[in-house]
Amino acid sequence: MNGLALVVNEDCEYEEPIEIEPYYGIRGLVSWEMADDIKLTEDADKAEWYITNLEVDGTQELEIKVDDFDRTNLILKELPDYVKLHRGWQGCPCSMMASLDNTFDAVMFIGYHSPASSEGNPLSHTMNLRNQYVKINGVLASEFHINALYANYLGVPVAFLSGDENLTNIVKEFNPNIETVATKTGVHGAVVSRHPNITNQEIEDKVKIALSKDLKNNLVEMPKSFTVEIQYKKFNDAYNASFFPGCKQVNSDTVVFETNNYYEVVRALKFIL
């Protein structure tokens, strides 16, 4: 495909390329304390490969949305002129997807992780550590699930995802046309990480495949209605959330929100999650 406009959304807790002692890659994180110690460096970023590769394919616009850590290793002046860097939290309801609108041809998710209450990753969570789980229409919702539905709401297909093995299996259930690469496997409180030379090559190959497809097949039919269920770790959070319009507390630590419009889902999540 030529003339692509793409968003690369990086969830940096699990990003591919970082090779910094003593952890040799964020792919191997098993605790938040390890994340706090990481100092990112300029030459540790895989995003430059995506940019270089996509330039060959005729990309007209590439916006990189970076979440979580302070991504000082991305030096904008050293990237191609058509690149835009969206760093930090904008504060809008679409949260991690603040870069995305319906003018883009596709979005790619880099370094994503399993949802809260999942054993697929020692650091499994959904948006924050305050909830026990988030469900949408009865399905345990990861950040991928929330963001992919928002992309579909805009009519933008998800082309590719890298992350832990459990999540890549979840992605294939969501839409088997999305290309994936599993960089590590969660084993209870541990992770088994594959060598970055191998996974980086797989990412290169799979991104090329993803962008050569008819991406219309990567869209899914949106549900006609949405039921969001959140169980909090602290019961008072459920009480507080119950005052959001349309949100009902169904037991001491759980609320439910129902709507027919997915934008109302992400609006609610901004305030109750």
Side-chain angles (χ1 to χ4, degrees):
M1 296 178 65
N2 291 323
L4 285 171
L6 302 169
V7 168
V8 175
N9 184 268
E10 296 187 66
D11 195 20
C12 300
E13 295 134 337
Y14 303 96
E15 189 185 354
E16 292 304 311
I18 299 174
E19 297 293 334
I20 302 168
E21 294 185 359
Y23 306 121
Y24 296 100
I26 273 183
R27 69 184 69 221
L29 283 181
V30 293
S31 73
W32 294 109
E33 288 76 13
M34 292 170 66
D36 290 340
D37 289 340
I38 290 175
K39 304 299 182 185
L40 301 180
T41 58
E42 183 176 335
D43 60 353
D45 194 42
K46 182 65 175 175
E48 291 192 17
W49 175 82
Y50 301 112
I51 296 165
T52 302
N53 183 72
L54 294 172
E55 184 177 24
V56 172
D57 288 341
T59 305
Q60 292 180 340
E61 181 178 358
L62 178 67
E63 183 155 340
I64 301 175
K65 174 67 174 74
V66 177
D67 301 312
D68 295 308
F69 296 125
D70 180 12
R71 300 285 275 115
T72 55
N73 57 318
L74 268 178
I75 312 300
L76 184 57
K77 68 179 181 180
E78 296 183 2
L79 304 179
D81 291 347
Y82 62 81
V83 174
K84 297 179 181 178
L85 179 59
H86 191 145
R87 182 188 283 128
W89 292 97
Q90 185 168 314
C92 57
C94 50
S95 186
M96 296 171 67
M97 302 297 281
S99 298
L100 196 67
D101 60 36
N102 60 10
T103 66
F104 286 95
D105 297 297
V107 60
M108 299 191 293
F109 297 144
I110 307 299
Y112 268 51
H113 52 79
S114 290
S117 289
S118 167
E119 63 179 2
N121 196 307
L123 299 186
S124 295
H125 66 281
T126 302
M127 299 306 296
N128 56 56
L129 302 181
R130 295 190 297 273
N131 63 82
Q132 192 65 37
Y133 66 75
V134 179
K135 292 182 180 180
I136 298 178
N137 291 350
V139 176
L140 201 62
S142 64
E143 292 168 15
F144 158 77
H145 195 162
I146 294 169
N147 295 341
L149 284 174
Y150 182 72
N152 274 265
Y153 166 78
L154 295 176
V156 179
V158 178
F160 173 84
L161 174 140
S162 70
D164 61 64
E165 183 179 29
N166 179 65
L167 180 64
T168 60
N169 293 334
I170 293 172
V171 171
K172 287 298 186 181
E173 293 176 2
F174 181 84
N175 188 328
N177 295 303
I178 299 173
E179 295 294 334
T180 64
V181 170
T183 62
K184 68 179 181 182
T185 301
V187 186
H188 304 292
V191 292
V192 177
S193 303
R194 303 168 65 208
H195 196 284
N197 288 349
I198 296 173
T199 56
N200 287 350
Q201 184 60 53
E202 287 187 8
I203 290 172
E204 178 176 348
D205 296 340
K206 289 295 185 69
V207 168
K208 289 179 179 178
I209 292 171
L211 298 181
S212 67
K213 290 182 175 182
D214 181 355
L215 290 173
K216 292 180 181 178
N217 295 324
N218 288 41
L219 292 167
V220 298
E221 183 177 354
M222 293 291 285
K224 296 186 183 303
S225 62
F226 302 91
T227 299
V228 179
E229 179 182 330
I230 303 174
Q231 183 184 59
Y232 300 91
K233 294 180 180 179
K234 295 182 178 181
F235 63 85
N236 203 46
D237 288 341
Y239 176 72
N240 290 334
S242 69
F243 291 97
F244 183 84
C247 193
K248 298 179 181 179
Q249 186 171 0
V250 295
N251 58 43
S252 62
D253 59 6
T254 307
V255 299
V256 169
F257 175 81
E258 296 179 327
T259 181
N260 296 327
N261 185 337
Y262 191 70
Y263 189 80
E264 295 305 318
V265 170
V266 296
R267 190 203 305 269
L269 292 178
K270 173 177 173 58
F271 294 99
I272 67 176
L273 183 58

